[in-house]
């Protein structure tokens, strides 16, 4: 026993000296926030430096999967028998140029940790999700958007990235330097390479005041066009459609103001214990009467008061506000669909019909606005769109998951029929035909992947579902030619 202990300690010392990340024992299980996608990988490495990532690639030969906050919900963070890179310890701010409003970070940093640094300089993230728990690299990989008016996908705020390719090369990419790699990687779901470092454009931190308006759903497009679209003071905008009738909605704006804040904290506290919010979400999920109470009792009281936050506070919400006590029998999941602004009415009518027909337990549908994607190969919007973020509860049984698959495909068809698309970070229910219609530039992406990752080392369930077989087909067709 003593001899084994000495040998183990010696191995750890040598491994550390060689600056190699230490793997977790074989058959480690990786899962995402839903608990629905348990995947056994060979080993997990938690890099802390760019050199760690390069060594991980160069000293191995098999599949590599990449995960950050693990909020993608359909197996996009792993695949079986892969070396899994857990990026959450790769989390440092490398450079902040406050004058130029630029920051360079390691890709595993969360938005919330970055906000702590930026807030000291009265700076703010330009584009991110509504919650701050996600990693920067994960956000780039799925090309997120948020509630930011006058913006769109996060690619619009990225100056450049450093990318580790399948052979261990470190490549810089931007819209002007290696643009093919840049536009394939952002929104590329970890299939092109490992995002190492990211340089982002920033904005000033400002005070923002909340206002809200309740309206019939049919009135929203005109309201948005006349009262929101060209109001340069609005920083955040979303509109919540109330289930289960889907006939009315509340639009919420946060506009720049000089008024004093009503919330003294500049950022939401980390590691809070949330009791009330998850309990309310559970009640709304369990009983339609609580959906009614939310719409007609709770929110009218909540929105009656003037509220002024710092922009950073409003951007630093914790997703644990919504985390249930258990996900064993039921879990909470997201879907998202993108529809051209002119087709709002057509899509919302179809959406309501599908949800009511299949008795989907929707807690909320949040509508956001996004400008077109400026070039990513897997762009989810090539024109101006409304994004419909659907938050719902589903059972974890096989039968419940099959039920979700059925209405999910119907919703994708509805979005496609409205000349829109659907978002890829969620459960993999789309058919190959639906994917091809929604992402017509996928072949360009696949050709880049084939060029820089010919052995298909970077993989996950999404890539396997829609991409890997097509790469093989591309290879066959090019041989025939």
């Amino acid at each position: 026993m003593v001899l084994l202990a000495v040998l183990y300690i010696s191995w750890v010392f040598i491994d550390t000296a060689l600056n190699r990340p230490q793997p977790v024992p074989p058959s480690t299980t990786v899962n995402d926030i839903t608990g629905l996608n348990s995947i056994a990988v060979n080993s997990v490495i938690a890099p802390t430096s760019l050199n760690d990532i390069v060594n991980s690639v160069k000293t191995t030969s098999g599949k590599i999967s990449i995960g950050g906050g693990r909020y993608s919900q359909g197996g996009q963070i792993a695949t079986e028998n892969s070396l899994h890179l857990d990026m959450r310890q790769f989390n440092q701010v490398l450079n902040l140029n406050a004058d130029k409003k630029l920051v360079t970070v390691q890709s595993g940093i969360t938005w919330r940790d970055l906000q702590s640094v930026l807030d000291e300089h009265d700076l703010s993230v330009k584009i991110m999700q509504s919650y701050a728990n996600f990693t920067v690299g994960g956000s780039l990989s799925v090309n997120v958007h948020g509630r930011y008016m006058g913006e769109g996908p996060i690619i619009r705020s990225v100056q450049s990235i450093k990318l580790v390719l399948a052979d261990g090369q470190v490549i810089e990419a931007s819209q002007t330097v290696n643009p093919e790699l840049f536009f394939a990687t952002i929104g590329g779901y970890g299939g092109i390479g490992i995002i190492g470092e990211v340089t982002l454009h920033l904005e000033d931190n400002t005070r923002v005041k909340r206002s809200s308006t309740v309206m019939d759903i049919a009135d929203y497009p005109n309201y948005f066009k006349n009262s929101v679209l060209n109001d340069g003071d609005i920083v955040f905008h979303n509109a919540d459609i109330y289930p289960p009738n889907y006939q009315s909605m509340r639009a919420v704006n946060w506009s720049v103001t000089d008024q004093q804040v009503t919330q003294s904290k500049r950022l939401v506290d980390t590691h809070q214990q949330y009791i009330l919010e998850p309990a309310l979400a559970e009640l709304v999920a369990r009983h339609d009467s609580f959906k009614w109470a939310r719409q007609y009792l709770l929110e009218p009281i909540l929105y009656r008061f003037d509220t002024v936050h710092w922009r950073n506070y409003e951007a630093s919400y914790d997703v644990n506000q919504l985390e249930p006590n258990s996900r064993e029998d039921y879990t909470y999941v997201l879907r998202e669909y993108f529809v051209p602004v002119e087709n709002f009415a057509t899509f919302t009518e179809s959406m309501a019909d599908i949800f009511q027909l299949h008795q989907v337990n929707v807690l909320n549908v949040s509508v956001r606005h996004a400008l077109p994607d400026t070039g990513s190969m897997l762009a989810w919007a090539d024109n101006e769109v409304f994004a419909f973020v659907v938050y719902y509860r589903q059972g974890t049984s096989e039968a419940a998951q099959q039920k979700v698959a059925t209405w999910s495909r119907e919703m994708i068809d509805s979005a496609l029929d409205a000349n829109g698309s659907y978002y890829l970070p969620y459960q993999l229910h789309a058919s190959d035909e639906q994917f091809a219609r929604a992402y017509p530039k996928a072949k360009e992406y696949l050709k880049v992947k084939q060029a820089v990752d010919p052995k298909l080392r970077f993989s996950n369930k999404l890539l396997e579902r829609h991409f890997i077989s097509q790469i093989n087909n591309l290879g066959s067709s090019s041989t025939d030619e």
Side-chain angles (χ1 to χ4, degrees):
M1 252 345 241
V2 174
L3 178 60
L4 287 174
V6 170
L7 289 172
Y8 177 78
I9 292 170
S10 300
W11 177 81
V12 171
F13 177 81
I14 293 170
D15 194 70
T16 303
L18 291 174
N19 199 28
R20 291 177 182 169
Q22 297 177 30
V24 184
S27 299
T28 299
T29 298
V30 173
N31 210 330
D32 60 49
I33 188 68
T34 67
L36 295 175
N37 299 288
S38 179
I39 299 172
V41 299
N42 279 343
S43 59
V44 176
I45 287 177
T48 60
S49 70
L50 195 62
N51 194 44
D52 287 347
I53 298 172
V54 171
N55 285 338
S56 299
V57 173
K58 286 186 173 181
T59 59
T60 59
S61 58
K63 291 183 179 180
I64 298 173
S65 59
I66 310 159
R70 303 187 179 188
Y71 291 101
S72 290
Q73 301 179 359
Q76 290 86 351
I77 62 172
T79 189
E80 286 85 4
N81 304 317
S82 63
L83 166 66
H84 182 75
L85 298 187
D86 183 340
M87 302 294 285
R88 289 173 289 187
Q89 300 304 310
F90 186 60
N91 59 2
Q92 299 300 304
V93 175
L94 301 175
N95 184 61
L96 173 60
N97 189 322
D99 292 334
K100 293 185 177 181
K101 297 181 185 177
L102 289 172
V103 66
T104 301
V105 298
Q106 293 178 328
S107 60
I109 194 171
T110 64
W111 294 109
R112 180 60 182 79
D113 287 344
L114 174 57
Q115 287 166 341
S116 293
V117 176
L118 298 180
D119 193 69
E120 295 179 1
H121 300 269
D122 283 327
L123 293 171
S124 184
V125 173
K126 186 173 184 178
I127 303 172
M128 56 173 282
Q129 303 98 320
S130 295
Y131 292 92
N133 309 69
F134 303 83
T135 63
V136 171
S139 297
L140 265 63
S141 291
V142 303
N143 202 13
V144 301
H145 68 97
R147 296 173 291 147
Y148 299 88
M149 275 305 303
E151 302 294 351
I154 195 172
I155 192 171
R156 298 171 65 98
S157 70
V158 181
Q159 185 187 68
S160 63
I161 58 176
K162 279 188 178 178
L163 188 66
V164 180
L165 299 179
D167 59 1
Q169 285 189 79
V170 178
I171 300 291
E172 184 173 346
S174 68
Q175 294 194 33
T176 56
V177 178
N178 295 310
E180 275 200 339
L181 290 178
F182 182 78
F183 290 122
T185 298
I186 299 182
Y189 295 85
I192 303 300
I194 304 162
I195 298 174
E197 297 174 6
V198 181
T199 299
L200 298 166
H201 295 282
L202 304 172
E203 293 286 352
D204 291 326
N205 190 25
T206 59
R207 283 170 287 188
V208 290
K209 181 179 179 179
R210 185 184 68 191
S211 62
S212 74
T213 306
V214 177
M215 68 196 75
D216 291 338
I217 194 169
D219 296 331
Y220 177 72
N222 282 335
Y223 162 80
F224 180 84
K225 180 180 179 180
N226 297 327
S227 302
V228 179
L229 183 60
N230 296 314
D231 186 339
D233 287 335
I234 297 177
V235 177
F236 303 102
H237 168 81
N238 69 283
D240 294 331
I241 302 175
Y242 290 112
N245 296 322
Y246 308 99
Q247 293 301 308
S248 63
M249 57 198 302
R250 179 183 292 273
V252 182
N253 302 314
W254 292 86
S255 303
V256 175
T257 182
D258 291 328
Q259 294 183 22
Q260 293 301 308
V261 293
T262 58
Q263 167 57 258
S264 60
K265 293 178 180 178
R266 295 175 64 91
L267 293 164
V268 174
D269 291 335
T270 57
H271 309 298
Q272 287 192 63
Q273 294 296 316
Y274 294 99
I275 298 174
L276 179 61
E277 294 89 343
L280 287 173
E282 184 69 15
L283 287 172
V284 170
R286 285 182 177 274
H287 308 285
D288 280 354
S289 60
F290 279 93
K291 293 181 175 68
W292 182 92
R294 170 208 168 190
Q295 180 176 351
Y296 293 106
L297 297 177
L298 180 60
E299 288 197 352
I301 295 172
L302 175 66
Y303 285 101
R304 184 176 300 171
F305 301 98
D306 286 343
T307 302
V308 179
H309 289 170
W310 285 105
R311 171 177 172 145
N312 280 345
Y313 185 92
E314 185 59 25
S316 62
Y317 287 124
D318 186 345
V319 74
N320 289 314
Q321 289 178 354
L322 302 176
E323 184 61 22
N325 291 326
S326 172
R327 289 182 181 263
E328 183 175 352
D329 297 320
Y330 293 92
T331 189
Y332 293 82
V333 194
L334 288 170
R335 295 285 187 184
E336 188 165 0
Y337 309 93
F338 306 96
V339 174
V341 293
E342 63 271 18
N343 293 332
F344 176 89
T346 301
F347 178 75
T348 52
E349 290 172 8
S350 176
M351 176 185 73
D353 289 343
I354 293 169
F355 286 161
Q356 291 169 343
L357 175 64
H358 294 280
Q359 298 181 314
V360 184
N361 192 353
V362 175
L363 279 71
N364 190 62
V365 180
S366 180
V367 180
R368 292 91 183 274
H369 175 263
L371 295 179
D373 195 320
T374 53
S376 62
M377 294 181 185
L378 296 181
W380 40 258
D382 58 6
N383 50 21
E384 184 185 358
V385 298
F386 285 127
F388 296 80
V389 184
V390 182
Y391 184 57
Y392 66 97
R393 189 176 83 152
Q394 70 165 85
T396 58
S397 68
E398 185 64 32
Q401 293 187 57
Q402 287 301 317
K403 181 179 179 181
V404 170
T406 299
W407 67 255
S408 294
R409 284 189 282 268
E410 291 182 17
M411 282 293 293
I412 292 172
D413 278 338
S414 179
L416 293 172
D417 289 344
N419 296 318
S421 62
Y422 69 99
Y423 205 16
L424 295 174
Y426 304 122
Q427 295 180 67
L428 305 178
H429 296 317
S431 68
D432 287 339
E433 180 183 5
Q434 289 175 323
F435 171 77
R437 287 179 64 192
Y439 292 93
K441 294 182 181 178
K443 286 188 176 181
E444 295 179 32
Y445 169 88
L446 291 170
K447 287 178 180 178
V448 174
K449 180 169 177 61
Q450 192 176 36
V452 298
D453 184 20
K455 295 182 180 179
L456 309 183
R457 297 194 66 193
F458 297 119
S459 189
N460 56 49
K461 290 299 183 182
L462 173 69
L463 297 174
E464 291 174 352
R465 173 69 181 84
H466 288 303
F467 296 89
I468 301 302
S469 62
Q470 293 191 48
I471 287 180
N472 291 332
N473 291 339
L474 282 175
S476 300
S477 63
S478 63
T479 301
D480 295 340
E481 291 172 1

